[in-house]
Amino acid sequence: MNQVLSKTKGDRWIWLIVILLSVWSLLAVYSSTGTIAYKNDKSAEQYLIKHLVMIAGGLALMYFSHKLDYRYYGGISKVLMILTIPLLLYTLIFGNQVNEANRWVTIPVINQTFQTSDLAKLALITFLARTLTKKQERIKDVKQAFLPIMGSVSAVFILIALANLSTALMLFGVSILLLIIGRISIKQILIVCLAGAVLLTGVIFLGPRRKTYASRIEAYMHPEKADPDKSFQANQSKIAIATGGFLGKGPGNSTQRNFLPHPYSDFVYALIIEEYGLMGGIVLVIIYLVFLYRCILIVTASPKAFGALLAAGLSFSLTIQAFANMAVAVGLGPVTGVPLPLVSMGGTSILFTSVAFGIILSVSRDIEEKKNGGDPDEKKVVVGEIPAVG
């Protein structure tokens, strides 16, 4: 154990948070998959083992991501953006359709579904951090700085929003926060917001899922008038929370897992409150708040703009996603398909979330090394360029 700890660098609080969320995830997934296991003639242990494998794979990716100098990700971001746009377009046209939305593509050979928006989030945030850093001296230049930024944000937003509006809105919000931190002028930020509003209006009123969005908003705003089928998930989630009490029913004693359509992913927070009570729900909120606080310390301590922007963007993305999921579970927002980071059962979403945590830890590791005098073997790297290896 000491050997493992000696090889892990970066903020120890974030490592502890990752371990806590992973263990809680295993408990919640094992408890919540009994019904789906019965329906599919499988055992809950099979789902647990599969989820354990994904958690282990995520931890491995997090470890390797944190060992890589974060400045490498500046160069990688260009490749990711080149891949992301056509991949999102391919998903919209040829992706697997679930609940009237083409969000997934199937990876050949391993036959594993892959949600391309997970890659897009990572790609856009790293690309914006790199661009804002490299263009600081010409940040107000429309052609050199503003148009590439606005074009990338708008393209990713519209391609994700057509199938997954909630994810697109969160990513757009994170992008605006990065633009503010990156000293983009208020006028240019307002132009980006205006473009986003126009695209959002088009998606809501003209997009392929406009009826779904309208029904979900109607069910949220007027639940007493809504179709019972449309408000079923939200109602069952509220029942789970109401019956959980202060200390909960205990691990594995949930009853609403038999009624909630997705108690292991979209509504895992409702199941957690039912089993661990209001106290458990508050503890989970505090864990994500501590994570955000530790990331803010990393952002303020980072000597390089790229590291600060990278840590800020990824931490905001993960935290906003977490609170969006929890808000839906407690009835503070319309139903979405946003998972709870590192807690909800998932495949590639866990892996990409783990990479995001790893990149943040890489920035933290760099800060630690500089405080301790630096690594004598460390090579100087130009932000946005992949340094020579070896």
Side-chain angles (χ1 to χ4, degrees):
M1 178 62 71
N2 290 331
Q3 290 181 340
V4 174
L5 291 175
S6 66
K7 293 182 180 179
T8 58
K9 305 294 182 181
D11 193 295
R12 289 291 185 269
W13 279 96
I14 294 181
W15 279 108
L16 177 61
I17 287 168
V18 168
I19 294 171
L20 287 175
L21 292 177
S22 299
V23 172
W24 210 336
S25 175
L26 291 171
L27 293 173
V29 167
Y30 183 53
S31 174
S32 60
T33 51
T35 300
I36 188 175
Y38 176 77
K39 290 179 180 179
N40 294 330
D41 196 24
K42 296 181 179 180
S43 65
E45 285 75 15
Q46 288 178 274
Y47 286 95
L48 176 64
I49 292 172
K50 182 180 179 181
H51 186 59
L52 178 60
V53 169
M54 297 308 298
I55 290 288
L59 290 174
L61 281 175
M62 191 183 308
Y63 175 79
F64 289 115
S65 298
H66 107 285
K67 294 292 286 184
L68 184 66
D69 192 313
Y70 74 88
R71 288 166 286 189
Y72 277 89
Y73 296 106
I76 296 172
S77 68
K78 296 184 290 185
V79 179
L80 290 179
M81 280 302 295
I82 292 172
L83 293 174
T84 292
I85 301 299
L87 191 57
L88 287 173
L89 189 59
Y90 175 86
T91 305
L92 280 175
I93 300 173
F94 304 106
N96 302 337
Q97 188 176 86
V98 179
N99 295 329
E100 302 177 350
N102 290 17
R103 302 179 186 176
W104 294 266
V105 293
T106 301
I107 302 174
V109 182
I110 63 174
N111 199 32
Q112 176 71 44
T113 56
F114 163 52
Q115 192 163 344
T116 50
S117 61
D118 292 326
L119 173 63
K121 286 187 289 186
L122 193 61
L124 182 60
I125 290 171
T126 53
F127 179 77
L128 284 179
R130 171 188 176 274
T131 305
L132 288 169
T133 303
K134 289 189 65 111
K135 306 289 185 181
Q136 271 301 306
E137 295 181 359
R138 297 167 291 170
I139 200 66
K140 295 184 180 180
D141 188 304
V142 174
K143 185 177 180 180
Q144 295 294 323
F146 180 64
L147 288 181
I149 290 172
M150 182 174 176
S152 59
V153 172
S154 299
V156 173
F157 174 77
I158 189 65
L159 289 174
I160 295 179
L162 289 170
N164 192 346
L165 183 58
S166 55
T167 297
L169 286 173
M170 285 186 290
L171 185 56
F172 187 81
V174 172
S175 300
I176 295 299
L177 288 173
L178 280 180
L179 297 186
I180 294 172
I181 297 172
R183 299 194 302 171
I184 291 287
S185 69
I186 297 298
K187 180 180 178 181
Q188 291 178 338
I189 291 175
L190 290 176
I191 293 174
V192 175
C193 291
L194 179 61
V198 172
L199 293 174
L200 175 63
T201 302
V203 169
I204 291 177
F205 292 102
L206 302 175
R209 303 193 71 210
R210 57 187 180 275
K211 293 182 179 179
T212 301
Y213 298 145
S215 64
R216 286 183 177 180
I217 293 174
E218 178 67 22
Y220 172 68
M221 298 297 293
H222 306 287
E224 71 284 353
K225 300 178 182 178
D227 183 343
D229 291 336
K230 300 297 182 183
S231 57
F232 180 78
Q233 296 182 84
N235 291 337
Q236 295 303 317
S237 179
K238 292 174 184 176
I239 294 172
I241 292 170
T243 56
F246 186 72
L247 296 177
K249 300 176 180 178
N253 293 325
S254 168
T255 54
Q256 291 308 115
R257 64 187 175 188
N258 300 316
F259 303 97
L260 274 168
H262 303 285
Y264 43 82
S265 55
D266 298 354
F267 288 92
V268 70
Y269 186 63
L271 177 128
I272 286 173
I273 294 180
E274 184 184 9
E275 293 191 344
Y276 299 90
L278 178 61
M279 182 59 67
I282 292 174
V283 169
L284 193 56
V285 169
I286 292 174
I287 288 175
Y288 283 110
L289 287 176
V290 171
F291 166 69
L292 179 61
Y293 172 71
R294 300 304 302 182
C295 289
I296 291 174
L297 293 181
I298 293 171
V299 171
T300 55
S302 178
K304 300 291 185 180
F306 180 61
L309 289 168
L310 197 57
L314 293 173
S315 60
F316 287 152
S317 175
L318 293 169
T319 308
I320 290 173
Q321 179 179 327
F323 282 99
N325 175 281
M326 292 187 282
V328 169
V330 300
L332 294 178
V335 174
T336 64
V338 178
L340 192 58
L342 282 190
V343 177
S344 294
M345 185 176 76
T348 53
S349 64
I350 290 179
L351 301 182
F352 281 105
T353 298
S354 300
V355 171
F357 272 95
I359 295 174
I360 294 170
L361 287 167
S362 176
V363 178
S364 176
R365 178 178 67 87
D366 182 75
I367 295 171
E368 283 186 358
E369 289 177 352
K370 284 182 170 53
K371 284 183 178 179
N372 297 329
D375 185 349
D377 298 324
E378 183 181 1
K379 297 179 182 292
K380 291 185 179 180
V381 184
V382 178
V383 173
E385 296 182 1
I386 301 179
V389 179

